[in-house]
Every structure is written in structure tokens, then in C-alpha cells.
């Protein structure tokens, strides 16, 4: 796959897939060393910071503004009380900087960086995200944040500019007609017209095509994961989800295999069948394979992601308040699919196989009951004492299957426990597993700003999963350490010798509060960039080395 610098990415964010009747939109981003003289600029983003003596302009001398214009801008900003503090946005009419009747932009948006000496790449990503969100729909934005860090500015601007209008107004009609009658070609045009994205040109010292392509592919992957999560469960259920994954995966050249409920039953996937059997929407297991185009020495990696398209709790029913947030319970699977799409598009030099279990957890007369015993793909049995601890049941089968491929590394992620949020809050993924690999993944996650944190698997918490009648029970008898208890449960399904990491994203996958930095409301796309960073790291190592 090749991505032409400056061209919109091939996996068009406006493309409508059967289970995603309304996708979000993302800015079109470009990276240039010099702005064409006749460029139309609606909004010019100018970083400013808090210097020792008050507001100062950052990234000056870019050629975007003349010395005189910079002085005028500084005067205007200080006269209206701008200080350059972090996230301060001060709009200034471009007219005020006009020379010989021509203004550098319709609007200048001064963006406060705070203390510039302390600012990290993550600060730049966040501030670029804030600026993207402040830019009006359909506007042409030029940003000089790339002069500070091109990679951070590209990623932050792209991620922060994501918008999910979802099912409002005209788009709602499309969604309704799609629900009844499938793909609606006329609807596609409406959706695109009502929500035209921002165009963001990032100015940098040099225009690095590889950097731009990587940022575009990564951002598209994050947007895809967000779209999946943002799509409600009446559109996205195992069958439609699997079909949509097939469409997207085949378009980028991934190998695709889908097992339906009958095949799952025949092949002994008792965990996936047991969780899915209460719903009219039968479960699926999706397998995606990325084969690199050239031979290499890199390790083979398995990815697994929890895909509970809606989690009511099942017979152990959840309370009604906030149950709507459970549309995000397929966030792990969404991140894994999106990562696979990026792996294919970037032709990452390693073999990666994803195993993605999809099920809807709902009560009915055919649902699994508390006390039922399920037999997993590897023969281990689980006594189900709480049907709301369902994620581990489907992951157990998927991880056992993934290990059959004899991967060197297994990266698994899931919206697994409320206990993750109790322990770490809703922005910090809990990272558990093989010690050295766990620590590496947490470190990479912190570098790219998803902030995963290493958590232990204390041995006594594993003891609490012993059952009288089966190999395991699916909940512990104690209320403490629920995140690590779940991690212990999963450890039983990892084959000896496979380096393994489990990333609990119960909180971080879904933002139920206001937008911040480059993170919108609802689906966040976490931990797509953590997994991509890990794959890139592993691609640079050798098998067994
Ligand atoms: N999907 C939930 C975990 C979750 C909670 C994700 C809140 C996002 C936000 C999971 O299936 C679940 O219900 N876990 C139970 C486990 C318990 C029964 C041992 C929980 O955390 O309460
Ligand atoms: Mn649950
Ligand atoms: Zn769940």
C-alpha cells in the first residue's frame, strides 16, 4: 500500500460500511516546508507561550508572518490580556495584520503553550488537538506547531479534529433507512455534505513524506476504532460487525476468516458460545492475518480484543443507570481491527494474526445461568458464577486459539473490569502480563500519550479463582483487586513461552465526560497507538532475541 503525501488516505473516512451507517469525519492533513504564496487560509494557528516577562510568540521566523506582523500580533494579544497560558485560545481578526490590503489569514488563533521549556511531545499533541477542535467545520487551517514537533503536531491535529455527528438530522434518516434496507447510496452524499471536515496544513522545517504517511495511517486507524465504538448496538452486533470487518480488511489486503455460531459450537469454543447464546444476534469469531511483503527475522505477534457488542450483564443483569455506556464493550476488538488495518497499510515487517471474539451479552431463557459450567477451546472448564464477568470467558477461547499459531508475543486488550477504573481512573489503562514485556508496553504507551501503567498479578489473587466443580470460576470470592483477578484468569489461557500482555481499557476506551486534548467525547481509539508502538518496537527486534 502506498500513501501519497498530501493525498487523502485511501480508506476514506467518509466511506460508509454496512454496520457503520454514519462514520465520523477527520481532518485532511498535510505537511509542508513552505506555504504556497496563493494559499487560502481561514485560520492560522500561532503558538504563544508564557515567557519570563509575559506572553511571547513561539516558532517565529517561519515566514508566515513578517517581523512587523509578529510585533503587531504580540501587541494585540497583550492588549487584550492574553498570557500564553496552556490551552488559552485567543482569536484575532487577520485584518489587523494586513499589509498592502492583504491579510495572512481570515483569523489568527493564538494558542497558549504555557511554559515552553517544560513542554513535551504529548503537550504538543494535546494542544494541536485543542486547536483542531476549535477550528470551524470546513475551514482551511494552517498550523505552525509543526515547527516545534512535526510528528506531534500531525497526530494531535488529526486526532483532535475527529468529529462524530452520528445520527443527527439528515444523517439520522440515512441510518434509519439503512437499518431497514441496507446500504443507501443516496444517503452517503448527504452525510458527506453535512459534515465537511477541516483541512489542516502543518508547517515544518522539512516536508517528510514518510512521517506524514505514518501519521495519516495511524490517525485513520484511531478514527476507525472510534467509529466502531461510537456505533450503537442496534447497528453493530456480531454478524454486522464481522461483515464490516471483512469488507474493510479485504480492502487493505488482510486475510479474513469468520466462524459463525455453528462452527464455534463444533470446534469447541464454549466460552464464546456460552456468552452469546442469550441473544438473537449470534456470536462470531473473526481472524485477520497480516503477512509482510518481505521475509524478515521479526517475531510473530498475536492480537486479541474483546468484542462484546453490548453488555447488559446477562442474567446477572447490570443496573439501568449508565448501561448505555456498554456500547463501548467492544473497544478492545475495535482497537485490534484498526491496528490490523494500519499494519496492512504500512506493511509492517512482521506476521500479525488477530483473533477477535464477538458476542452480545444479554439475558433470555436461552442465556447462560449463574452456576453453569462452560468448556473452553483448550479444554479448560469455567464455572460461571456471574454472567457479567463475560469478557474473560470469550477472551479465554480466543487466546487459546491465538496461541495455537505459536506466536512469540500475545497482545490482548479489553474493556474488562470496573475495577480498572477504581484503581487507575478513566484515562489510564492497566497493563498486566509477562513482566519485561508488560513494562515495555507500559513505557511505550506513556511515550505516545495513552499512558498505560504496569500493574501486578499478585499470586494470592489467582488462588481465589479455584472452583469446586471446574478448573476455574469466573469471579473471585473477594471484592478486592478485581483488575488483577481478571488478569490471572486470562493467564490460564496463555501457552508457556509466549510473552503476553493484557491491557484493561474499561475506562480509557470511552470518554463519558467532555472532550480534552485530542480526545473527543465517546470512543477514544485507545489503545490503538499503544499497540502500534509495540508492533513497531517488536519489528526492530529479532525472534527469540
Ligand atoms: N464490560 C464490563 C466492564 C466495564 C465496566 C467496562 C465499566 C467499562 C465500564 C465487564 O464485562 C464487567 O461487567 N465486569 C464486571 C466483573 C465483575 C462481575 C467481576 C465488573 O467489573 O463489575
Ligand atoms: Mn460484563
Ligand atoms: Zn463486559
Amino acid at each position: 500500500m502506498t500513501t501519497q503525501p498530501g493525498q487523502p488516505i485511501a480508506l476514506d473516512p467518509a466511506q460508509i460500511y454496512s454496520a457503520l451507517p454514519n462514520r465520523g469525519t477527520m481532518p485532511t492533513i498535510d505537511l509542508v516546508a513552505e506555504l504556497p504564496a496563493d494559499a487560502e487560509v481561514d485560520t492560522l494557528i500561532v503558538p504563544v507561550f508564557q515567557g519570563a516577562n509575559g506572553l511571547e510568540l513561539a516558532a517565529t521566523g517561519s515566514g508566515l508572518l513578517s517581523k512587523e506582523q509578529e510585533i503587531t500580533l504580540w501587541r494585540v494579544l497583550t492588549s487584550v490580556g492574553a498570557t500564553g497560558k496552556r490551552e488559552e485560545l485567543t482569536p484575532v481578526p487577520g485584518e489587523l495584520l494586513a499589509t498592502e490590503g492583504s491579510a495572512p489569514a481570515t483569523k489568527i488563533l493564538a494558542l497558549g503553550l504555557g511554559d515552553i521549556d517544560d513542554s513535551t511531545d504529548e503537550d504538543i499533541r494535546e494542544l494541536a488537538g485543542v486547536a483542531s477542535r476549535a477550528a470551524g467545520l470546513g475551514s482551511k487551517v494552517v498550523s505552525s506547531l509543526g515547527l516545534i514537533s512535526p510528528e506531534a503536531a500531525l497526530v494531535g491535529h488529526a486526532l483532535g479534529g475527529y468529529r462524530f455527528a452520528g445520527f443527527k438530522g439528515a444523517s439520522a434518516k440515512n441510518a434509519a433507512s439503512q437499518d431497514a434496507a441496507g446500504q443507501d447510496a443516496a444517503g452517503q452524499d448527504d452525510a458527506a455534505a453535512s459534515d465537511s471536515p477541516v483541512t489542516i496544513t502543518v508547517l515544518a522545517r522539512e516536508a517528510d513524506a514518510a512521517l506524514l504517511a505514518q501519521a495519516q495511517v495511524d490517525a485513520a486507524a484511531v478514527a476507525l476504532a472510534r467509529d466502531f465504538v461510537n456505533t450503537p448496538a442496534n447497528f453493530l452486533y456480531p454478524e454486522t460487525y464481522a461483515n464490516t470487518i471483512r469488507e474493510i480488511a479485504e480492502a487493505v489486503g488482510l486475510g479474513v476468516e469468520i466462524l459463525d455460531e455453528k462452527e464455534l459450537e463444533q470446534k469447541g469454543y464454549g466460552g464464546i458460545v456460552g456468552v452469546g447464546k442469550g441473544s438473537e444476534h449470534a456470536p462470531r469469531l473473526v481472524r485477520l492475518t497480516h503477512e509482510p511483503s518481505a521475509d524478515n527475522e521479526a517475531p510473530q505477534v498475536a492480537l486479541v480484543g474483546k468484542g462484546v457488542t453490548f453488555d447488559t450483564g446477562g442474567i446477572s443483569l447490570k443496573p439501568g443507570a449508565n448501561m448505555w455506556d456498554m456500547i463501548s464493550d467492544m473497544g478492545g476488538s475495535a482497537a485490534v481491527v484498526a491496528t490490523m488495518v494500519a499494519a496492512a497499510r504500512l506493511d509492517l515487517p512482521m506476521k500479525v494474526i488477530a483473533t477477535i471474539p464477538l458476542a452480545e451479552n444479554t439475558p433470555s431463557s436461552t442465556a447462560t445461568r449463574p452456576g453453569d459450567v462452560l468448556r473452553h477451546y483448550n479444554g479448560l472448564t469455567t464455572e460461571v458464577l456471574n454472567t457479567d464477568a463475560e469478557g474473560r470467558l470469550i477472551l479465554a477461547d480466543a487466546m487459546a486459539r491465538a496461541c495455537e499459531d505459536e506466536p512469540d508475543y500475545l497482545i490482548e486488550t479489553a474493556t474488562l473490569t470496573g475495577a480498572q477504573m477504581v484503581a487507575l481512573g478513566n484515562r489510564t489503562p492497566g497493563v498486566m502480563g509477562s513482566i519485561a514485556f508488560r513494562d515495555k508496553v507500559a513505557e511505550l504507551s506513556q511515550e505516545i500519550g495513552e499512558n498505560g501503567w504496569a500493574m501486578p498479578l499478585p499470586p494470592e489473587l489467582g488462588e481465589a479463582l479455584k472452583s469446586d466443580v471446574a478448573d476455574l470460576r469466573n469471579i473471585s470470592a473477594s471484592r478486592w483487586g478485581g483488575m488483577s483477578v481478571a488478569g490471572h484468569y486470562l493467564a490460564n489461557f496463555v501457552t508457556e513461552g509466549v510473552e503476553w500482555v493484557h491491557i484493561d481499557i474499561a475506562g480509557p476506551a470511552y470518554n463519558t465526560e467532555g472532550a480534552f486534548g485530542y480526545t473527543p467525547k465517546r470512543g477514544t481509539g485507545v489503545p490503538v497507538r499503544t499497540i502500534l508502538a509495540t508492533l513497531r518496537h517488536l519489528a526492530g527486534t529479532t525472534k527469540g532475541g
Side-chain angles (χ1 to χ4, degrees):
M1 197 292 314
T2 54
T3 301
Q4 291 302 317
Q7 292 300 304
I9 40 176
L11 189 72
D12 181 356
Q15 171 90 44
I16 293 169
Y17 299 98
S18 45
L20 296 175
N22 295 290
R23 295 204 56 193
T25 57
M26 245 198 356
T28 305
I29 50 169
D30 198 1
L31 185 70
V32 301
E34 212 174 317
L35 205 61
D38 57 351
E40 228 185 281
V41 186
D42 299 325
T43 305
L44 180 61
I45 294 167
V46 178
V48 297
F49 65 100
Q50 256 171 328
N53 305 308
L55 180 139
E56 290 183 46
L57 268 57
T60 51
S62 64
L64 283 177
L65 299 177
S66 66
K67 192 78 219 148
E68 291 73 46
Q69 286 173 321
E70 286 178 348
I71 292 169
T72 309
L73 179 60
W74 180 86
R75 285 217 182 99
V76 172
L77 289 171
T78 47
S79 70
V80 297
T83 62
K85 70 169 188 281
R86 195 185 151 94
E87 291 197 27
E88 178 184 69
L89 285 166
T90 316
V92 173
E95 253 172 46
L96 295 184
L97 307 189
T99 46
E100 291 158 21
S102 105
T106 313
K107 176 169 97 176
I108 313 278
L109 197 54
L111 169 68
L113 303 183
D115 181 352
I116 201 168
D117 294 329
D118 283 350
S119 83
T120 61
D121 269 2
E122 178 60 5
D123 290 316
I124 301 302
R125 281 190 285 267
E126 288 185 345
L127 291 160
V130 168
S132 282
R133 230 165 333 96
L137 274 181
S139 61
K140 293 185 176 55
V141 178
V142 172
S143 164
S144 46
L145 279 175
L147 295 166
I148 303 173
S149 169
E151 178 274 343
L154 282 170
V155 171
H157 275 306
L159 298 185
Y162 172 91
R163 283 181 171 85
F164 186 79
F167 299 80
K168 286 181 177 223
S171 322
K173 274 190 279 157
N174 306 336
S177 67
Q178 278 220 312
D179 199 17
Q183 194 102 358
D184 176 343
Q188 294 191 7
D189 297 333
D190 287 6
S194 65
D195 213 6
S196 67
V198 183
T199 308
I200 299 177
T201 304
V202 174
L203 192 71
R205 305 258 171 247
E206 57 185 305
D208 181 334
L211 188 70
L212 175 63
Q214 176 168 319
Q216 285 175 322
V217 172
D218 286 15
V222 171
L224 180 61
R226 289 174 179 176
D227 286 343
F228 277 131
V229 170
N230 286 336
T231 304
N234 59 327
F235 292 100
L236 197 82
Y237 45 88
E239 184 191 0
T240 56
Y241 191 10
N243 292 343
T244 301
I245 294 171
R246 183 197 289 284
E247 265 181 85
I248 297 173
E250 283 177 350
V252 297
L254 290 163
V256 185
E257 179 196 16
I258 300 176
L259 303 186
D260 66 16
E261 71 273 27
K262 289 187 208 76
E263 292 161 307
L264 289 169
E265 177 93 55
Q266 277 161 15
K267 294 183 197 293
Y269 289 93
I272 300 172
V273 170
V275 171
K277 79 204 220 336
S279 175
E280 223 164 6
H281 295 308
R284 295 286 185 271
L285 181 69
V286 180
R287 302 246 309 152
L288 302 176
T289 305
H290 164 64
E291 293 273 8
S293 60
D295 279 349
N296 60 72
E297 294 293 297
Q300 182 175 322
V301 183
L303 303 183
V304 174
K306 173 179 172 181
V308 172
T309 55
F310 196 78
D311 182 13
T312 66
I315 298 292
S316 314
L317 194 64
K318 286 182 182 295
N322 304 313
M323 199 201 275
W324 46 84
D325 291 339
M326 287 301 113
I327 70 164
S328 68
D329 213 19
M330 30 58 69
S333 66
V336 165
V337 172
T339 302
M340 290 301 289
V341 169
R345 301 182 72 202
L346 295 163
D347 190 20
L348 290 187
M350 65 213 310
K351 183 166 180 175
V352 189
I353 307 181
T355 306
I356 307 156
L358 308 178
E360 179 174 83
N361 186 26
T362 191
S364 78
S365 67
T366 60
T368 289
R369 293 149 289 249
D372 284 2
V373 174
L374 305 177
R375 181 179 299 276
H376 294 286
Y377 184 72
N378 65 352
L380 284 179
T381 53
T382 298
E383 182 187 12
V384 179
L385 294 177
N386 187 324
T387 64
D388 197 12
E390 84 297 341
R392 62 198 75 182
L393 301 174
I394 68 172
L395 291 167
D397 283 353
M399 288 167 68
R401 174 63 190 89
C403 285
E404 260 183 13
D405 302 327
E406 301 185 347
D408 300 291
Y409 294 89
L410 168 59
I411 303 170
E412 171 275 316
T413 186
T415 49
L416 204 59
T417 66
Q420 176 276 318
M421 292 150 90
V422 175
L424 295 170
N426 49 23
R427 296 187 189 178
T428 305
V431 185
M432 289 146 275
S434 315
I435 309 288
F437 187 42
R438 172 200 73 187
D439 287 347
K440 187 68 203 177
V441 172
E443 180 194 323
L444 291 166
S445 184
Q446 284 160 46
E447 271 171 27
I448 57 92
E450 289 183 340
N451 301 327
W453 197 259
M455 297 297 281
L457 295 176
E460 75 281 7
L461 296 182
E463 294 301 310
L465 288 169
K466 291 209 163 110
S467 160
D468 295 332
V469 298
D471 296 315
L472 292 159
R473 42 190 277 161
N474 77 330
I475 53 166
S476 134
S478 145
R479 50 188 284 235
W480 310 120
M483 171 168 52
S484 295
V485 169
H488 265 296
Y489 178 89
L490 296 176
N492 289 286
F493 299 88
V494 183
T495 302
E496 198 61 47
V498 176
E499 294 291 306
W500 159 65
V501 77
H502 159 55
I503 310 174
D504 193 335
I505 50 164
Y510 200 63
N511 178 16
T512 55
E513 287 160 30
F516 61 93
Y518 51 79
T519 304
K521 288 186 183 183
R522 296 171 63 104
T524 63
V526 174
V528 169
R529 291 184 308 117
T530 296
I531 306 176
L532 279 172
T534 305
L535 292 180
R536 288 183 178 120
H537 159 72
L538 293 176
T541 67
T542 51
K543 237 183 165 86

